[in-house]
């Protein structure tokens, strides 16, 4: 089923409503200001200016109101510099389960992984809720929209706290292996929640090539393999990964808040020289074991902080 989303002006919205007035249907959903149903096409308009066409006649009807080729070219341009699997034509409008992680480069705080299913029928809604590539959004904004996204989508969010991270690392687990295990578990959780429905594809934001990823999982009992695609910059390729990135970040920020409260000082993100100085301060005041419990202990920051304490 084709799914096309256009952006239109307020004046154009009025024209659309007038044109499809005889096909109007009542549709109660967040942000919807008009809906119509043709024999082969469903039309939904949102207050944000997004106009979505779904069904066999989607391209025909969308062509009345916008430049479809321009939209396709925009989607292609956003994938410049992307590495990974070749995605199917029209991938951005498909029903996809996506996963992403954050916190991997932060000395303080956890690794978090989220998996989110965004069916084609909810693409316009997710746009309406404000989802973009999380690198374009502030932490405060992501905190704000995360509850609505959790309510709108089937999802799973996993948090690997520092104590467990350090334990696994001491047992020889690489960060890549930990991330692969978390992605696989989060994807399994969502697939179980949405069964018997299945996504058209699964898209993992690529942190390791396919063979390496599955080698990390070789000892796992259940491994998600069906229709799995890997790509870098995946948050630019489908809203499911962009949404997963936001939910993972919101979970990371929540855990950072918890750790900051325990530490009695606002912890810094990243792994900079300022982080080293803060770690040394905490070490002097609360001791090595406490600092270990709130950090990724094997990071170089530990040795730097030790010299400063």
């Amino acid at each position: 089923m084709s799914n096309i989303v256009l952006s239109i002006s307020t004046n154009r919205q009025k024209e659309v409503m007038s044109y499809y007035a005889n096909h109007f249907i009542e549709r109660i959903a967040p942000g919807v200001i008009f809906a119509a149903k043709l024999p082969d096409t469903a039309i939904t308009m949102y207050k944000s200016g997004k106009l979505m066409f779904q069904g066999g006649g989607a391209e025909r009807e969308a062509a009345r109101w916008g430049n479809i080729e321009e939209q396709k070219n925009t989607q292609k341009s956003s994938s410049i510099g992307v590495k990974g699997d070749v995605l199917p034509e029209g991938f951005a409008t498909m029903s996809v389960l996506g996963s992403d992680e954050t916190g991997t480069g932060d000395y303080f705080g956890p690794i978090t992984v989220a998996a989110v299913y965004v069916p084609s029928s909810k693409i316009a809604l997710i746009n309406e809720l404000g989802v973009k590539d999380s690198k374009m959004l502030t932490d405060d904004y992501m905190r704000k929209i995360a509850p609505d996204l959790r309510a709108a989508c089937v999802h799973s969010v996993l948090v690997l706290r520092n104590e467990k991270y350090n334990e696994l690392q001491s047992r020889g687990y690489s960060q890549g292996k930990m991330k692969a295990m978390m992605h696989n578990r989060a994807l399994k959780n969502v697939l179980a929640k949405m069964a018997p429905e299945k996504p058209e594809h699964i898209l993992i934001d690529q942190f390791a090539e396919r063979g390496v990823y599955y080698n990390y999982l070789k000892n796992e009992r259940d491994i998600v393999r069906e229709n799995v695609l890997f790509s870098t910059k995946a948050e630019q390729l489908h809203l499911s990964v962009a949404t997963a990135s936001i939910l993972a970040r919101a979970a990371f920020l929540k855990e950072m808040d918890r750790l900051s409260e325990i530490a009695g000082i606002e912890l810094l993100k990243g792994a900079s020289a300022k982080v080293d100085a803060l770690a040394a301060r905490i070490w002097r005041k609360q001791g090595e074991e406490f600092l270990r419990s709130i950090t990724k202990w094997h990071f170089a920051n530990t040795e730097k902080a030790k010299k400063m304490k």
Side-chain angles (χ1 to χ4, degrees):
M1 180 180 72
S2 296
N3 186 318
I4 298 174
V5 179
L6 302 177
S7 295
I8 58 174
S9 66
T10 302
N11 288 337
R12 202 67 164 154
Q13 286 179 343
K14 294 176 181 177
E15 292 179 31
V16 172
M17 287 189 276
S18 175
Y19 186 86
Y20 295 113
N22 292 336
H23 301 280
F24 170 80
I25 59 171
E26 188 73 30
R27 185 168 172 213
I28 301 173
V32 173
I33 58 175
F34 177 80
K37 185 73 172 71
L38 305 181
D40 61 354
T41 313
I43 299 140
T44 310
M45 184 187 299
Y46 294 82
K47 62 183 179 183
S48 63
K50 300 295 183 184
L51 180 61
M52 181 169 68
F53 300 87
Q54 296 173 281
E59 287 201 18
R60 179 195 68 236
E61 296 303 316
R64 302 180 190 275
W65 309 102
N67 189 328
I68 300 176
E69 290 306 313
E70 185 178 278
Q71 184 205 43
K72 290 178 179 177
N73 290 337
T74 299
Q75 292 173 354
K76 288 178 182 178
S77 67
S78 70
S79 64
I80 294 174
V82 169
K83 297 179 181 179
D85 293 323
V86 176
L87 305 183
E89 185 74 24
F91 184 80
T93 64
M94 293 181 177
S95 297
V96 174
L97 168 55
S99 64
D100 200 1
E101 83 283 331
T102 194
T104 57
D106 294 88
Y107 183 55
F108 294 109
I111 291 178
T112 58
V113 170
V116 180
Y117 177 54
V118 176
S120 60
S121 61
K122 287 189 176 181
I123 286 175
L125 170 60
I126 299 306
N127 270 313
E128 174 73 19
L129 292 174
V131 171
K132 300 176 184 176
D133 175 357
S134 65
K135 295 178 182 63
M136 301 167 62
L137 305 176
T138 65
D139 283 346
D140 286 344
Y141 185 80
M142 286 188 278
R143 287 182 192 266
K144 180 180 177 181
I145 66 174
D148 287 337
L149 297 175
R150 287 192 290 265
C153 302
V154 181
H155 66 278
S156 175
V157 179
L158 304 179
V159 177
L160 180 60
R161 288 182 170 175
N162 301 93
E163 297 96 331
K164 186 65 176 179
Y165 176 96
N166 290 329
E167 177 197 334
L168 292 173
Q169 195 277 330
S170 69
R171 288 163 50 191
Y173 283 56
S174 68
Q175 196 178 87
K177 183 177 179 67
M178 294 183 218
K179 289 191 290 184
M181 292 171 67
M182 292 176 74
H183 276 265
N184 188 61
R185 180 180 165 192
L187 293 171
K188 287 195 298 181
N189 289 348
V190 175
L191 289 169
K193 289 178 182 179
M194 58 184 285
E197 184 179 2
K198 289 186 176 182
E200 292 179 77
H201 294 282
I202 293 171
L203 179 61
I204 298 174
D205 190 50
Q206 182 173 308
F207 57 89
E209 293 188 2
R210 179 183 296 273
V212 175
Y213 174 86
Y214 282 116
N215 187 56
Y216 286 142
L217 298 174
K218 61 185 178 183
N219 294 323
E220 295 296 296
R221 177 181 295 179
D222 298 314
I223 302 174
V224 177
R225 296 180 183 273
E226 186 178 359
N227 295 324
V228 173
L229 298 168
F230 295 83
S231 181
T232 61
K233 300 183 180 179
E235 66 278 358
Q236 299 176 14
L237 304 177
H238 199 277
L239 283 173
S240 60
V241 180
T243 305
S245 181
I246 291 169
L247 294 190
R249 186 64 177 177
F252 170 82
L253 294 170
K254 182 178 180 181
E255 176 67 4
M256 284 289 281
D257 288 344
R258 186 186 74 85
L259 294 175
S260 294
E261 186 174 352
I262 293 171
I265 188 170
E266 184 176 354
L267 300 179
L268 298 175
K269 305 175 187 74
S272 65
K274 289 183 179 180
V275 169
D276 299 338
L278 178 58
R281 180 180 171 186
I282 294 171
W283 200 332
R284 287 193 302 269
K285 191 173 181 179
Q286 302 191 59
E288 178 179 324
E289 285 308 307
F290 178 77
L291 181 63
R292 183 191 295 267
S293 73
I294 63 173
T295 63
K296 298 178 181 71
W297 191 246
H298 68 106
F299 274 29
N301 303 83
T302 298
E303 284 304 311
K304 294 175 183 178
K306 186 176 183 179
K307 294 175 182 178
M308 298 170 65
K309 75 180 181 67

